[in-house]
Amino acid sequence: QSVIIKITKVGTAKPDLPPAGGAASPGVKYLMPGDAVPDQILVDQEGRSRTFNDIRRSRAIAVTFIYTKCPIPTFCPHMDRQFVEAQGLIKQKGLASKAGLLSISFDPKNDTPAVLRKHAQKLGFDPNVWTFATAGRDDIDTFAASFGLTLVRGEALNPDEIGHTLRTALVDASGRLVKSYSGGDWTPPELVD
């Protein structure tokens, strides 16, 4: 953890404000609890084009956003570990027909269906419970932003590194957002419950 021990004012500047009447991210509708999740077209780990609702299959579903080259153990790899445990609980409780998991990659350049399939297999995913998917970059960026995820591309020394926040959302069986977790402050038992 970091602690601020001293702040020194070194100058002044006007804040960067969005244009009057405009949104910070044009075209993005931020989802609130109770809102219907858009039926985004995705490509799953088998290369099949499927809509969000096709993947959901009238089940409650937890959605998180990752990319397989994420270098920070407490980010995407942590989300993967959390979903591995959640998958185990879903199967143990016999909830596969009522609950599912969806990991969406926001790196379609590198996370092709074959890469996602290999990543999923390494994690021991059960395709009856857990789906990995991606889509075109602009579509994924808009879809992820609607859940409150922030993405920063092209600012690291490694061009494949993507700065991002963590977001995991719970969607009910009717396709409406129930809750959105910021960061990794949830446990698999809490998610499954």
Side-chain angles (χ1 to χ4, degrees):
Q1 282 188 331
S2 300
V3 177
I4 297 173
I5 55 172
K6 182 179 180 184
I7 297 175
T8 304
K9 182 178 178 181
V10 294
T12 59
K14 291 183 179 181
D16 291 329
L17 299 173
S25 299
V28 174
K29 178 190 179 297
Y30 297 102
L31 296 171
M32 301 301 292
D35 287 349
V37 174
D39 200 18
Q40 176 66 49
I41 296 173
L42 302 164
V43 178
D44 72 9
Q45 73 275 349
E46 301 303 325
R48 297 175 296 203
S49 181
R50 300 167 67 191
T51 66
F52 176 76
N53 286 329
D54 290 338
I55 293 168
R56 191 174 52 75
R57 297 190 329 249
S58 299
R59 304 175 294 173
I61 194 165
V63 182
T64 198
F65 297 87
I66 56 120
Y67 76 113
T68 62
K69 290 187 174 200
C70 185
I72 304 171
T74 56
F75 273 65
C76 301
H78 177 68
M79 294 295 100
D80 285 342
R81 289 188 302 273
Q82 295 281 79
F83 268 30
V84 165
E85 188 175 337
Q87 175 184 253
L89 290 169
I90 289 169
K91 291 172 71 171
Q92 176 188 343
K93 294 180 178 202
L95 297 174
S97 65
K98 296 179 181 180
L101 303 169
L102 174 59
S103 292
I104 299 176
S105 172
F106 45 78
D107 184 15
K109 175 183 157 201
N110 294 300
D111 288 342
T112 63
V115 169
L116 288 175
R117 183 173 53 254
K118 185 176 180 181
H119 182 74
Q121 289 168 340
K122 187 171 109 181
L123 294 170
F125 91 118
D126 178 339
N128 293 315
V129 176
W130 193 357
T131 301
F132 286 76
T134 192
R137 181 176 151 176
D138 291 343
D139 291 336
I140 286 297
D141 286 2
T142 301
F143 190 62
S146 72
F147 287 94
L149 186 82
T150 301
L151 297 168
V152 179
R153 299 177 186 272
E155 295 197 12
L157 293 176
N158 177 349
D160 287 336
E161 193 171 318
I162 302 169
H164 63 93
T165 56
L166 295 177
R167 187 66 67 168
T168 302
L170 294 176
V171 179
D172 69 15
S174 67
R176 297 193 175 279
L177 180 66
V178 174
K179 184 172 186 165
S180 185
Y181 294 98
S182 181
D185 297 345
W186 53 271
T187 66
E190 177 183 14
L191 191 76
V192 173
D193 285 347

